[in-house]
Amino acid sequence: MQGLAASSKLSLTIVVVVFLLGLASAADGRRRLVSSSPDEPCKKMTLYFHDILYDGGNNTANATSAAATNPTALSNSTYLGMLVVFNDPVTERNVLPVGKEVPAARAQGFYFYDKKESFNAWFAFSLVFNSTEHKGTINLMGADLMGEKTRDISVVGGTGDFFMARGIATLRTDALEGLYYFRLQMDIKLYECYV
Ligand SMILES: *[C@@H]1O[C@H](CO)[C@@H](O)[C@H](O)[C@H]1NC(C)=O
Ligand SMILES: *[C@@H]1O[C@H](CO)[C@@H](O)[C@H](O)[C@H]1NC(C)=O
Ligand SMILES: *[C@@H]1O[C@H](CO)[C@@H](O)[C@H](O)[C@H]1NC(C)=O
Ligand SMILES: *[C@@H]1O[C@H](CO)[C@@H](O)[C@H](O)[C@H]1NC(C)=O
């Protein structure tokens, strides 16, 4: 029985190896590029994230995000516990799309406020590209340390043109207009790319 178990373990290993080789060739013959230095990402782009928060009445037409939960009583003033769901336009220039202009991508996901003493948030979203230039997604998540001038979140994966992407996105608040609009500059640097 022992021998049988060992040989079936071996054949399982072989199956897994063959499966992984199969996956590698399924990447459309793409080659994996891993950057060797933080200064030399294999792909870099700057995009702007526009969040127009629903104000409860006047901006129904242009709002692209809305609070899905109320802040908790523990810290109402820093919105602790408020979760905002968004499907926001993302552009290459730092202005909102004008007229029928199609944004470069949409950011689909959520953030929630998570600190009692001051404003701080946690983000998880996908950049969804569906343009002639790019098709696919880049998936990002991490702590948005709002007190910092710039903060890094992780690029944890990607699909389509961004197959298996990994890297860092540096966020900077580019504009903050009242309670219902902010714009983030996102410098996305990928350190693992399939090309
Ligand atoms: C909506 O607009 C009205 C009229 O300008 C204003 O009094 C009200 O405060 C606005 N509501 C919000 C949530 O901004
Ligand atoms: C969204 O629409 C409201 C109401 O028309 C307007 O006051 C506000 O400036 C708009 N927000 C942005 C960011 O364009
Ligand atoms: C939060 O503060 C507002 C304004 O001070 C108050 O009306 C509301 O009841 C508070 N909400 C909670 C959950 O404490
Ligand atoms: C992507 O763009 C194509 C062509 O404009 C359109 O037909 C399709 O519905 C879009 N897909 C999504 C998920 O928006």
Side-chain angles (χ1 to χ4, degrees), residues 29-58:
R30 280 187 264 203
R31 220 161 31 87
R32 177 167 174 253
L33 271 188
V34 180
S35 154
S36 53
S37 144
D39 304 327
E40 293 168 16
C42 49
K43 187 167 180 62
K44 200 175 162 179
M45 58 183 140
T46 295
L47 293 168
Y48 293 88
F49 173 112
H50 306 263
D51 193 65
I52 307 176
L53 184 64
Y54 179 49
D55 66 8
N58 296 335

Side-chain angles (χ1 to χ4, degrees), residues 46-49 170-175 183-187:
T46 295
L47 293 168
Y48 293 88
F49 173 112
T170 301
L171 309 182
R172 184 181 66 78
T173 304
D174 190 50
R183 180 171 66 236
L184 298 177
Q185 179 184 324
M186 298 188 290
D187 287 326

Side-chain angles (χ1 to χ4, degrees), residues 11-161:
S11 60
L12 181 64
T13 308
I14 291 171
V15 167
V16 168
V17 167
V18 169
F19 177 69
L20 288 176
L21 286 174
L23 276 187
S25 62
D28 295 335
R30 280 187 264 203
R31 220 161 31 87
R32 177 167 174 253
L33 271 188
V34 180
S35 154
S36 53
S37 144
D39 304 327
E40 293 168 16
C42 49
K43 187 167 180 62
K44 200 175 162 179
M45 58 183 140
T46 295
L47 293 168
Y48 293 88
F49 173 112
H50 306 263
D51 193 65
I52 307 176
L53 184 64
Y54 179 49
D55 66 8
N58 296 335
N59 67 356
T60 316
N62 63 2
T64 52
S65 75
T69 61
N70 288 323
T72 60
L74 177 60
S75 182
N76 188 343
S77 57
T78 62
Y79 299 161
L80 178 75
M82 180 168 121
L83 179 126
V84 173
V85 174
F86 57 82
N87 188 332
D88 283 340
V90 170
T91 57
E92 284 172 8
R93 292 182 308 135
N94 70 346
V95 288
L96 277 163
V98 183
K100 290 205 161 87
E101 192 186 334
V102 179
R106 310 264 342 164
Q108 303 182 359
F110 62 83
Y111 57 85
F112 53 79
Y113 291 92
D114 60 3
K115 195 170 177 188
K116 194 162 94 174
E117 297 80 10
S118 60
F119 285 108
N120 200 68
W122 197 86
F123 255 117
F125 62 101
S126 299
L127 290 175
V128 181
F129 295 83
N130 184 26
S131 63
T132 44
E133 212 177 331
H134 295 300
K135 290 206 178 0
T137 65
I138 298 179
N139 296 300
L140 302 99
M141 58 181 259
D144 183 12
L145 307 173
M146 291 168 67
E148 306 289 326
K149 193 158 186 293
T150 65
R151 51 272 180 197
D152 288 348
I153 62 172
S154 303
V155 174
V156 294
T159 64
D161 290 353

